[in-house]
Amino acid sequence: MKVNIPEKYTDLYVKALGDKKKALQMKINQFKSEIEEIDSHLAALVNLPLFQENEAQNLLHQKTNTYHDQWAWTKKIAYFIDFKRKLIKTNEVVDFIMEKEPDLNKSKVRSSVSAALSNKMKKGVYRKFEDPVTGNTYYGPVAFFLNQHEPQIEFMPEDLKERLLYNN
């Protein structure tokens, strides 16, 4: 940055730039502090039992292979995916859980399922695929995908398969 300043104002200009730099550095430090606080809150939320799978519950699932309303949301989703053996949509999981647990609030179930799916995606356990025709979003385990963006054909629901493969 080249500036032509009369010599008699140089000291004032240098002081003003120094003050401006200090003010900006204070803002940066404040933003860093806020980001650390947000990261701390996010980490605490992600570690809530709501998002964690319990070993005892996993053993119970392996022994009985039946749905349990005490499971964490991620376990309920995994159970549904195991049951379907196909990519799933959020509303399908919500409808399934509501069928199993009709006393739950549907909007709370939807937000919990969305949060759990998002959490699993961030951890790299699940991926999503957006249907280019309808815009619907499908989720599934990484093993259901050929690569970052393409699901394996055998794990596609029939309606998605027909839309993408047979209706050119």
Side-chain angles (χ1 to χ4, degrees):
M1 168 166 115
K2 186 174 181 178
V3 180
N4 290 328
I5 300 174
E7 203 171 312
K8 64 180 179 179
Y9 297 116
T10 305
D11 288 342
L12 288 174
Y13 187 64
V14 168
K15 182 181 178 338
L17 286 177
D19 291 346
K20 179 72 172 176
K21 181 180 175 183
K22 285 179 189 174
L24 290 173
Q25 192 62 50
M26 286 176 54
K27 284 183 181 180
I28 289 170
N29 291 339
Q30 181 182 1
F31 288 140
K32 285 181 180 177
S33 174
E34 288 180 31
I35 289 170
E36 287 174 11
E37 187 176 339
I38 288 170
D39 285 343
S40 172
H41 286 289
L42 284 172
L45 286 172
V46 169
N47 289 322
L48 286 174
L50 172 73
F51 296 111
Q52 302 301 314
E53 294 183 20
N54 182 318
E55 287 301 316
Q57 290 173 346
N58 285 341
L59 290 174
L60 181 65
H61 172 61
Q62 290 170 1
K63 289 179 184 174
T64 64
N65 203 26
T66 58
Y67 181 90
H68 294 278
D69 58 3
Q70 311 92 337
W71 284 339
W73 293 107
T74 53
K75 188 65 182 166
K76 292 176 183 182
I77 294 166
Y79 178 86
F80 183 67
I81 290 173
D82 286 347
F83 174 73
K84 295 264 301 199
R85 301 292 305 148
K86 301 283 181 199
L87 296 174
I88 50 99
K89 295 186 282 190
T90 303
N91 66 327
E92 293 173 329
V93 180
V94 171
D95 291 344
F96 176 77
I97 292 172
M98 290 304 300
E99 182 180 305
K100 298 289 186 185
E101 301 178 65
D103 294 337
L104 294 177
N105 178 308
K106 190 169 186 171
S107 65
K108 287 184 180 180
V109 171
R110 183 180 318 283
S111 64
S112 297
V113 166
S114 293
L117 285 169
S118 176
N119 185 40
K120 285 292 191 181
M121 286 183 48
K122 286 179 187 167
K123 290 182 176 180
V125 177
Y126 288 168
R127 289 196 179 134
K128 73 177 179 179
F129 172 74
E130 190 169 319
D131 180 348
V133 177
T134 65
N136 289 333
T137 302
Y138 294 84
Y139 298 90
V142 171
F144 284 18
F145 287 78
L146 295 169
N147 57 42
Q148 196 71 18
H149 305 287
E150 294 178 86
Q152 295 183 44
I153 293 171
E154 65 264 26
F155 295 112
M156 288 183 185
E158 289 305 313
D159 63 323
L160 179 62
K161 234 188 267 190
E162 287 182 25
R163 253 191 322 278
L164 298 181
L165 302 176
Y166 309 120
N167 289 338
N168 293 337

